[in-house]
């Protein structure tokens, strides 16, 4: 069985555990609701729940086949919500999916690919019976808030990594591995943005959706989830700008270093041009050259060469070319 937990709650307090094998055990009385948590269930298990709670077949199909985009669907008095979960796996963002059925007296969560179980969330809600007593629609808010809160550690971890690379950019060249990592992070952020925008739309719609599944006093809670989603969206946009600035800074520093090397090469070429020119003149083997018969010709030429080289070296050094 893929059932992680299945309990009936009344007035915010867990009353009993139920089994999907006994339909009568799933019956709820006024003021009660059942919360069933499934992890990658089979088609037969979902079909059993479909028959018991009269769930819409299109919603069952979406819950069985993962890879749905975040969305909200209303089927009569039944509400179907799909949320995308995310986590870091081997320094990359991996996605899962949580489908949520909300109706009169029941809430069913179906997880696919998400390693974060709702066990801790159940414990937190059961520790606050006043809030849990609001019913299944409040649990819907809690599940969405749980999913969105899982986004923040991902962005914080990627942000720390990118800022560390940014600091190293000012000290040395970016390595091939660092450039490759920045491109991978930017690609992950683009994909993450495609998840965050629909999630924000889901929360915004739930805040204003007119359906019997949602009480008026619970709607403001979805606005809080929307704020958290928009906060993460802002952090993603800011991190993408940081990555762009890192590439720009690395490119400017690279150009600056190349320019400095070019200036040094040009300066040394100018310095070496003096002895090269003098040696070239004397290497032409002219028959009549006054300096050839002058006793001090060779020393004078050598002193002149050294003097010119010294002067050029001093000028280039003073101007920062060497």
């Amino acid at each position: 069985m893929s059932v992680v937990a299945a309990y009936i709650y009344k007035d915010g307090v867990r009353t009993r555990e139920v089994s999907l094998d006994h339909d009568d055990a799933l019956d709820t009385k006024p003021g009660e609701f059942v919360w069933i948590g499934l992890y990658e269930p089979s088609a037969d298990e979902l079909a059993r729940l479909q028959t018991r709670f009269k769930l819409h077949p299109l919603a069952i199909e979406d819950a069985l086949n993962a890879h749905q985009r975040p969305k909200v669907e209303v089927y009569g008095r039944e509400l179907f919500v799909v949320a995308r979960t995310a986590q870091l796996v081997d320094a990359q963002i991996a996605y899962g999916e949580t489908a949520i059925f909300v109706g009169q007296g029941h809430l069913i969560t179906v997880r696919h690919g998400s390693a974060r179980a709702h066990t801790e969330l159940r414990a937190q809600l059961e520790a606050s019976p006043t809030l849990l007593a609001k019913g299944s629609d409040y649990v819907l808010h809690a599940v969405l808030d749980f999913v969105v809160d899982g986004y923040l550690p991902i962005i914080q971890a990627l942000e720390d990594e990118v800022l560390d690379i940014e600091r190293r950019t000012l000290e040395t060249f970016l390595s091939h591995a660092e450039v490759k990592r920045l491109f991978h992070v930017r690609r992950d952020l683009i994909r993450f943005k495609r998840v965050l925008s629909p999630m924000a739309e889901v929360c915004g719609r739930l805040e204003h959706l007119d359906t019997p599944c949602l009480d008026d006093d619970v709607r403001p809670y979805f606005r809080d989830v929307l704020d958290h989603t928009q906060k993460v969206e802002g952090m993603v946009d800011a991190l993408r700008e940081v990555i762009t600035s890192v590439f720009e800074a690395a490119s400017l520093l690279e150009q600056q270093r190349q320019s400095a090397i070019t200036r040094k090469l040009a300066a040394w070429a100018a310095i070496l041009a003096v002895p090269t020119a003098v040696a070239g003149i004397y290497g032409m083997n002219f028959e009549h050259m006054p300096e050839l018969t002058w006793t001090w010709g060779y020393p004078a030429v050598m002193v002149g060469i050294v003097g010119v080289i010294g002067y050029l070296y001093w000028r280039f050094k003073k101007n920062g070319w060497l």
Side-chain angles (χ1 to χ4, degrees), residues 1-2 7 10 20 39 46 79 121 135 141 144 157 163 169 172 174 184 190 202 223 237 251 275 298:
M1 293 293 289
S2 62
Y7 298 101
K10 182 177 182 180
L20 301 188
Y39 180 72
L46 287 180
L79 186 65
L121 175 62
H141 147 264
L144 292 178
L163 292 178
T169 303
T172 183
L174 285 180
H184 285 170
I190 292 174
V202 166
R223 188 186 311 132
D237 292 336
S251 178
Y298 177 75

Side-chain angles (χ1 to χ4, degrees), residues 4 11 18 54 60-61 70 85 87 104 131 140 184 202 206 221 261 278 280 297 319:
V4 179
D11 297 328
V18 295
K54 297 180 175 56
I60 291 293
E61 181 181 354
T85 60
Q87 58 186 337
Q104 295 295 324
L131 295 176
L140 169 63
H184 285 170
V202 166
L206 288 173
Y221 289 96
I261 293 174
V278 174
N319 293 331

Side-chain angles (χ1 to χ4, degrees), residues 30-223:
E32 293 183 337
F33 74 92
V34 58
W35 178 4
I36 302 172
L38 306 174
Y39 180 72
E40 297 185 353
S42 64
D44 292 339
E45 291 171 335
L46 287 180
R48 191 183 310 167
L49 290 175
Q50 177 185 1
T51 302
R52 173 60 185 80
F53 294 103
K54 297 180 175 56
L55 306 178
H56 199 278
L58 291 179
I60 291 293
E61 181 181 354
D62 289 342
L64 180 63
N65 302 318
H67 310 297
Q68 302 291 325
R69 69 186 302 272
K71 63 180 180 178
V72 177
E73 299 288 350
V74 179
Y75 299 102
R77 300 178 64 85
E78 187 79 23
L79 186 65
F80 178 68
V81 180
V82 175
R84 294 300 300 273
T85 60
Q87 58 186 337
L88 276 180
V89 178
D90 296 331
Q92 292 185 343
I93 302 179
Y95 298 97
E97 183 177 309
T98 298
I100 311 169
F101 297 88
V102 183
Q104 295 295 324
H106 67 269
L107 181 137
I108 304 170
T109 57
V110 180
R111 294 188 297 117
H112 290 279
S114 175
R116 299 179 66 213
H118 296 156
T119 305
E120 180 181 352
L121 175 62
R122 279 182 182 267
Q124 292 176 354
L125 292 176
E126 291 174 357
S128 304
T130 303
L131 295 176
L132 189 56
K134 294 180 180 295
S136 57
D137 47 358
Y138 180 81
V139 177
L140 169 63
H141 147 264
V143 172
L144 292 178
D145 190 51
F146 177 80
V147 170
V148 173
D149 284 346
Y151 297 159
L152 189 58
I154 297 174
I155 298 303
Q156 289 175 338
L158 294 178
E159 186 179 59
D160 292 341
E161 183 180 3
V162 171
L163 292 178
D164 186 53
I165 296 177
E166 182 186 38
R167 285 191 295 269
R168 292 199 299 271
T169 303
L170 302 177
E171 301 172 357
T172 183
F173 294 102
L174 285 180
S175 65
H176 176 74
E178 290 174 329
V179 173
K180 186 178 180 180
R181 177 56 182 159
L182 286 176
F183 272 108
H184 285 170
V185 171
R186 186 170 67 174
R187 181 188 60 189
D188 281 348
L189 291 177
I190 292 174
R191 292 177 177 175
F192 198 23
K193 181 75 173 181
R194 295 174 184 170
V195 171
L196 291 172
S197 297
M199 281 295 295
E201 294 176 3
V202 166
C203 298
R205 187 181 178 190
L206 288 173
E207 181 185 358
H208 303 94
L209 188 62
D210 185 13
T211 174
C213 302
L214 301 178
D215 292 335
D216 292 338
D217 58 345
V218 176
R219 299 181 193 277
Y221 289 96
F222 294 107
R223 188 186 311 132

